């Protein structure tokens, strides 16, 4: 074991929040290897406690504020 973290795969629309079922934007990988998925709302609520317990956090919630540029280009 090298200690290097395995690359994480991007979250997709198929990944759902374990708390409410909404689209997941945050993945918490626990030290034992289990994963928890959260929507942005529940992720903000729980991420600090999970990080304190040693979880690795993958946060893609910034995607919520991205503007799709291809939609405008396709209309021209």
């Amino acid at each position: 074991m090298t200690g290097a973290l395995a690359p994480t795969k991007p979250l997709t629309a198929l990944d759902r929040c374990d708390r409410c079922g909404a689209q997941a934007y945050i993945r918490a990988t626990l030290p034992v290897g289990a994963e928890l998925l959260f929507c942005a709302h529940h992720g903000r609520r729980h991420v600090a406690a999970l990080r304190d317990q040693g979880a690795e956090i993958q946060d893609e919630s910034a995607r919520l504020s991205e503007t799709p540029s291809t939609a405008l280009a396709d209309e021209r």
Side-chain angles (χ1 to χ4, degrees):
M1 184 180 280
T2 64
L5 293 175
T8 55
K9 58 186 180 202
L11 293 163
T12 70
L14 297 176
D15 295 309
R16 310 311 287 180
C17 177
D18 290 325
R19 182 75 174 118
C20 69
Q23 184 173 347
Y25 288 94
I26 297 172
R27 174 184 285 125
T29 305
L30 304 176
V32 295
E35 291 183 345
L36 295 171
L37 300 178
F38 295 104
C39 63
H41 167 79
H42 286 113
R44 283 190 297 270
R45 182 179 274 177
H46 299 292
V47 75
L50 288 164
R51 194 173 275 133
D52 288 345
Q53 296 298 315
E56 293 291 326
I57 306 298
Q58 175 185 352
D59 185 349
E60 297 182 11
S61 60
R63 292 181 13 213
L64 290 167
S65 60
E66 291 178 355
T67 305
S69 59
T70 57
L72 293 175
D74 291 341
E75 291 177 10
R76 292 182 186 155

